[in-house]
Structures are given as C-alpha cells and as structure tokens.
Amino acid sequence: MADQWLFKSETYDNCSCAMNCGCQFNLPSTQGYCQSAFIGNIVEGHFKNTSLVGLNWAALYKWPGEIKDGNGRRQIIIDERADKGQRSALEIIISGAACRPFSNLFAVFASTCSDFCETLFLPIDLRADLDARTAKVAIPGVLTSSASPKINEFTGEPFHIALARPSGSFEFTYAEIGLGTTAVTGDMEMAFEDSWAHFCVHHFNQDGLVRERSRLTAWLG
C-alpha cells in the first residue's frame, strides 16, 4: 500500500510569464522560457503519522525553454522549524516521489527537471492573503517576493480575476490572479517583475489532486 498522506497548502506562485500564463491556457510561455517560485503554508497535512500543519515551504523552478521540453532545475526549501521527520516527509512530497506518476504539480514538474539542487532548511517569512491577492515573502539569502492585484487604470480599483479548473489541472481547482515581483539569488538565480501570480489551495494526497471546492470560492455563493 502507498504511503498515506495529505498536503493542503495555501500557496502563492509567481512566474516569469505575463498575465496569461501558458501553463493555464495551453499556450507558449511569454518569454520562451519559464521561471517560477511557489511558496506556501500547510493548513492541513500529514505524512503517515507525521503532522505537517503550520509549516512553510517553497519550490523554485527554472527551465531554459518551454517546460514540456525539459532540462529544468529545481530547488526545494523547507521551513527550518520542521523537525527531522517533517523535513523528510516534506522533501518526499514536494519532490513528487510519493504519489501516482504525473498526478500532481510536483510529480509533473519533477519529470521535466534534470538538475536538482540541494534542499535548503531556512526561515520562510510568508505573509499572504489569498482573498485579497497580496503576498510578501522573505527567505534570507535566497528570495524576496511581493504580490498584489492588478489595478484598473480607469477606476483605481483592484481587478478581481479568478481561474476555475474543475478538470484538466494537476495543480488546483480554483485560483485568484494577481501580479508579482520576485528576486532569487544562489543556485536558482532569477528575477521577474509585475508578472503572473496566482493564489490557490494546493490539495494533494497520494492519489493526486483532491478535487473539492476551495474556500476561495466562497464569494461565488
């Protein structure tokens, strides 16, 4: 029997594409390559008997061309507060090694990477409001990032843009969309500004994406 686990994370992602990320619309990337930073907080989770609740995590990715063409690089960063068992559990899950092949984001992206950097255990300061589409992240010596909604230039009010994926996605069923700016140093050096950002609930288990309505859809009634 496969290891039983649950990973439910409120996650902020910022990538190098414009506000029509090709991953979500089956289109080529904006720049002809992809760079991305995922940072999340686990609101429900366990790996077998090991609780993961309250821990932060990050996964950084770089591809020299389109993701489907491979040759990507990945680095996992795990909350320094995690104990030995939690560190091992999170690394297994985020590496994509604990689920059915290609059944979630981590497994799919791992299949397109050929360079895996050393996992880091660092403080991850994540302040994200998924409903407001705002985030501020600091990982000392590695990453800074911030995000906010796109602003309507005529009214000055924030646009409320959302993406529903009831089928066909290996990442989420629903996400709120904004704009982010990220700078990364070290093994995964990269930077992008005012580019695609989304806020979602990553809800995975050993069988893949758990398709249930996200709390973020509450405004729909």
Side-chain angles (χ1 to χ4, degrees):
M1 179 181 293
D3 290 327
Q4 303 294 296
W5 57 271
L6 174 70
F7 180 93
K8 192 172 186 180
S9 167
E10 296 196 347
T11 304
Y12 156 58
D13 168 50
N14 184 203
C15 80
S16 54
C17 279
M19 214 170 185
N20 61 339
C21 173
C23 288
Q24 308 303 334
F25 300 103
N26 199 25
L27 295 170
S29 60
T30 303
Q31 312 289 349
Y33 60 84
C34 185
Q35 301 178 346
S36 190
F38 294 82
I39 309 99
N41 171 257
I42 301 172
V43 294
E44 292 181 42
H46 63 85
F47 188 85
K48 296 189 279 190
N49 295 322
T50 299
S51 174
L52 304 173
V53 175
L55 295 174
N56 295 333
W57 63 278
L60 311 178
Y61 297 92
K62 290 178 70 172
W63 293 269
E66 302 298 339
I67 295 175
K68 66 180 178 62
D69 295 328
N71 296 314
R73 170 180 284 192
R74 183 196 71 197
Q75 185 163 48
I76 296 169
I77 306 171
I78 292 172
D79 197 326
E80 69 169 4
R81 297 174 300 161
D83 64 27
K84 183 177 179 180
Q86 291 170 324
R87 291 182 179 197
S88 175
L90 279 174
E91 189 166 22
I92 290 170
I93 292 172
I94 299 169
S95 71
C99 63
R100 290 189 297 106
F102 310 114
S103 64
N104 70 29
L105 164 82
F106 300 135
V108 172
F109 280 4
S111 74
T112 66
C113 292
S114 55
D115 187 4
F116 301 94
C117 299
E118 177 186 4
T119 296
L120 303 178
F121 302 96
L122 295 169
I124 300 173
D125 183 7
L126 168 63
R127 304 177 190 183
D129 185 331
L130 275 64
D131 299 284
R133 289 146 292 156
T134 62
K136 197 168 187 65
V137 187
I139 304 176
V142 177
L143 177 147
T144 59
S145 185
S146 61
S148 59
K150 184 174 177 62
I151 301 301
N152 186 321
E153 62 181 285
F154 300 103
T155 66
E157 296 296 319
F159 271 113
H160 192 172
I161 305 168
L163 179 63
R165 298 292 305 273
S167 64
S169 174
F170 47 73
E171 182 181 0
F172 57 76
T173 56
Y174 178 91
E176 298 276 349
I177 311 303
L179 292 171
T181 295
T182 295
V184 177
T185 57
D187 293 331
M188 298 292 293
E189 184 174 0
M190 54 187 174
F192 27 93
E193 183 175 0
D194 290 334
S195 55
W196 169 278
H198 70 252
F199 304 80
C200 71
V201 176
H202 281 142
H203 193 177
F204 307 142
N205 64 21
Q206 64 280 348
D207 298 316
L209 174 64
V210 178
R211 296 188 180 279
E212 72 173 26
R213 184 163 167 171
S214 164
R215 72 161 183 83
L216 293 175
T217 60
W219 66 274
L220 293 171

